[in-house]
């Protein structure tokens, strides 16, 4: 019998390592997550590291956030997380390593090229909170 889990709107869903893996500094690993799923039409999944992932494992997700589109739904389309390690560590099968959420795809939009936006400037990149 399949297991069904009900989640609240906005929740991120933890994903776990599907196998033990040894990490080496500055090596890229492709960690299997042991899941594959069929997403509803018009939806995609976003996978991102958990808040404690770097602290616990000294890895970063190199495609963060990872995007899984609705066409990635075959029997062999298992989800993976590509990780870059910054130390010697071991990830064990079952460790919570990342999280995902499912969101509706962006609706079609049109862009219009203009010479000026006509809005006040905020001060450029990195200016939030500065006066």
């Amino acid at each position: 019998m399949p297991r069904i889990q009900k989640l609240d709107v906005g929740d991120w869903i933890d994903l776990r390592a599907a196998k033990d893996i040894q990490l080496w500094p500055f090596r890229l690993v492709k960690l299997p997550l042991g899941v594959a799923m069929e997403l509803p039409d018009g939806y995609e999944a976003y996978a991102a590291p958990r808040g404690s992932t770097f602290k616990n494992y000294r890895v970063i997700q190199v495609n963060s956030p990872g995007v899984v589109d609705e066409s990635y739904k075959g029997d062999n389309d298992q989800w993976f997380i590509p990780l870059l390690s910054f130390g010697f560590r071991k990830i064990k099968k079952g460790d919570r390593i990342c999280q995902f959420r499912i969101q509706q795809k962006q609706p079609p939009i049109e862009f219009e090229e203009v010479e000026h936006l006509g809005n006040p400037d905020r001060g450029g990149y990195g200016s939030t909170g500065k006066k």
Side-chain angles (χ1 to χ4, degrees), residues 41-81:
D41 286 342
Y43 285 80
E44 54 198 5
Y46 295 90
R50 292 172 39 81
S52 61
T53 297
F54 186 79
K55 176 182 69 98
N56 292 337
Y57 303 102
R58 298 292 186 255
V59 294
I60 58 170
Q61 180 180 339
V62 295
N63 69 334
S64 183
V67 179
V68 180
D69 67 50
E70 65 194 29
S71 70
Y72 194 72
K73 59 184 175 183
D75 289 338
N76 295 306
D77 288 340
Q78 178 180 192
W79 292 14
F80 289 83
I81 182 173

Side-chain angles (χ1 to χ4, degrees), residues 1-7:
M1 173 71 77
R3 204 170 47 147
I4 297 174
Q5 181 179 1
K6 186 170 175 118
L7 300 165

Side-chain angles (χ1 to χ4, degrees), residues 102-121:
I102 298 171
Q103 292 182 302
Q104 211 165 8
K105 286 180 150 184
Q106 179 172 295
I109 58 173
E110 290 184 29
F111 290 95
E112 179 182 341
E113 187 175 345
V114 297
E115 292 292 323
H116 302 283
L117 294 175
N119 301 310
D121 291 337

Side-chain angles (χ1 to χ4, degrees), residues 3 13 18 22 26 43 59 67 80 88 96-97 99 108 127:
R3 204 170 47 147
I13 303 150
Q22 178 65 49
F26 305 107
Y43 285 80
V59 294
V67 179
F80 289 83
F88 294 100
R96 294 183 303 162
I97 196 71
Q99 57 194 342
S127 64

